[in-house]
Amino acid sequence: MKLFGKLVNFEFMRFLPIYITLLAVVFLIEAASVIFYVFMVKSEITESIVKHGLSKEQFLQDNGYASMVNILSSFMFSLPIVIAAVTIFIYILFIWYRDWLGKNTFIYRLLMLPVKRIQLFFSKGVTILMLVFGLVAFQVAVLPVLQVILKLIIPVDYRLDLTTQGMVRSLYYLRFLLPENFIDFIINYGFGIAFVILLFTMILIERSYRFRGVFMAAFYGIGALILVFSPYILQVIMKDYFYDNELLWMQFAIAIVLSIISVFLSNHLLNRKIRV
């Protein structure tokens, strides 16, 4: 377990400089979107009330209260979230290929470590999970800070302050990643972990068989997706026989079974097909 912890720490530290930069970019773009919004609202308040003599009540009736809800649904605020998600997805692929394609084929040094090779697989998976949890925690922590910018510029009579929980519920991807129901949390992250395991296995198939492996990995991935969505195919054939929650649990069960198969297959490839 101690060696496994060192592997996880090693993988995480390799990505840390990029990760810190990514979090900084997320914060700066989100802060810029808040600043742009509040100054636009401030200008509208000045224009309507000071120059045109509109009453506060009439302004609020026409424009509503300024709040973080209006910002969280904007494209500019969503952009850094998309950038972060795409970056982590690319790293899911890069985390393996970096070791093979880097200087002195570093993967062979990793494979010679006195640990079970499947621990390399799990350490990379845990690292990805840590990156996701870290991004979610950072986003939740930043939301109150961003609301302070709103409070500093927009007068209290013209704004609607939200709690952190209220802002989290207003942001779709946080509602998905931090659902109120624990079962939904397990299902959402279960599908995410299954997806990462599937991608890792496809990469190991390609690395084990090279040119043939490209087609084998594609076949494996497509077959897995068909199996995961097979309950909906069955639903069409049986003419809406199942309830929606039954379809979801069938999908989840298939994803779990595929994850277990993928782990065993990856273990076989690491021990039998990839040589030092």
Side-chain angles (χ1 to χ4, degrees):
M1 183 58 70
K2 185 177 180 180
L3 288 175
F4 178 75
K6 288 183 177 180
L7 282 173
V8 173
N9 179 69
F10 173 73
E11 291 289 352
F12 184 79
M13 294 305 294
R14 293 171 82 186
F15 188 65
L16 187 59
I18 299 175
Y19 192 56
I20 292 174
T21 303
L22 178 65
L23 295 181
V25 169
V26 169
F27 176 76
L28 290 175
I29 297 179
E30 289 181 350
S33 68
V34 173
I35 292 170
F36 175 80
Y37 170 77
V38 295
F39 276 105
M40 182 181 69
V41 172
K42 183 71 173 179
S43 176
E44 290 177 355
I45 294 173
T46 303
E47 182 77 18
S48 301
I49 295 178
V50 178
K51 292 187 177 180
H52 300 292
L54 204 67
S55 67
K56 181 187 74 174
E57 292 75 16
Q58 186 62 47
F59 176 85
L60 293 175
Q61 183 178 345
D62 294 340
N63 300 279
Y65 287 95
S67 76
M68 288 294 293
V69 171
N70 301 324
I71 304 171
L72 298 178
S73 59
S74 67
F75 169 77
M76 191 171 178
F77 195 91
S78 302
L79 179 62
I81 299 170
V82 173
I83 293 173
V86 171
T87 302
I88 291 178
F89 175 76
I90 292 173
Y91 190 66
I92 292 174
L93 306 176
F94 183 68
I95 198 171
W96 282 103
Y97 283 109
R98 172 191 55 190
D99 295 334
W100 257 287
L101 303 178
K103 186 178 180 180
N104 299 324
T105 52
F106 188 71
I107 186 62
Y108 298 122
R109 294 169 60 189
L110 289 176
L111 294 173
M112 293 177 65
L113 292 174
V115 295
K116 292 182 179 180
R117 291 183 176 184
I118 194 62
Q119 291 193 29
L120 298 174
F121 183 94
F122 288 131
S123 67
K124 293 178 185 294
V126 170
T127 300
I128 297 299
L129 198 59
M130 288 172 59
L131 296 178
V132 174
F133 283 148
L135 178 62
V136 173
F138 176 80
Q139 183 66 87
V140 173
V142 157
L143 288 176
V145 177
L146 296 176
Q147 186 167 237
V148 169
I149 301 174
L150 180 71
K151 291 180 178 181
L152 290 174
I153 299 175
I154 303 298
V156 65
D157 293 337
Y158 295 91
R159 69 173 191 262
L160 180 64
D161 297 333
L162 299 175
T163 63
T164 301
Q165 184 178 7
M167 287 186 282
V168 169
R169 296 301 121 204
S170 300
L171 196 55
Y172 171 75
Y173 95 96
L174 282 181
R175 288 204 312 269
F176 178 80
L177 293 173
L178 291 175
E180 294 180 347
N181 191 308
F182 180 71
I183 298 299
D184 291 337
F185 179 88
I186 295 298
I187 291 175
N188 292 347
Y189 279 94
F191 277 120
I193 292 170
F195 177 72
V196 172
I197 290 174
L198 177 65
L199 279 181
F200 279 6
T201 305
M202 291 172 63
I203 292 170
L204 290 176
I205 291 173
E206 186 276 328
R207 290 285 87 192
S208 298
Y209 297 98
R210 301 308 169 103
F211 182 74
R212 285 185 304 153
V214 174
F215 299 98
M216 294 170 67
F219 179 79
Y220 185 80
I222 293 171
L225 287 177
I226 291 173
L227 284 174
V228 169
F229 287 99
S230 61
Y232 290 97
I233 300 174
L234 188 62
Q235 177 80 326
V236 173
I237 295 174
M238 300 185 69
K239 299 180 179 179
D240 298 331
Y241 179 80
F242 300 103
Y243 292 109
D244 289 341
N245 63 330
E246 291 176 329
L247 290 172
L248 179 62
W249 281 111
M250 289 167 65
Q251 275 191 299
F252 187 70
I254 293 171
I256 294 299
V257 172
L258 284 173
S259 297
I260 295 172
I261 294 172
S262 295
V263 168
F264 277 100
L265 177 57
S266 296
N267 185 51
H268 170 75
L269 294 173
L270 284 168
N271 288 317
R272 302 295 180 184
K273 296 298 181 181
I274 298 176
R275 299 294 182 182
V276 177

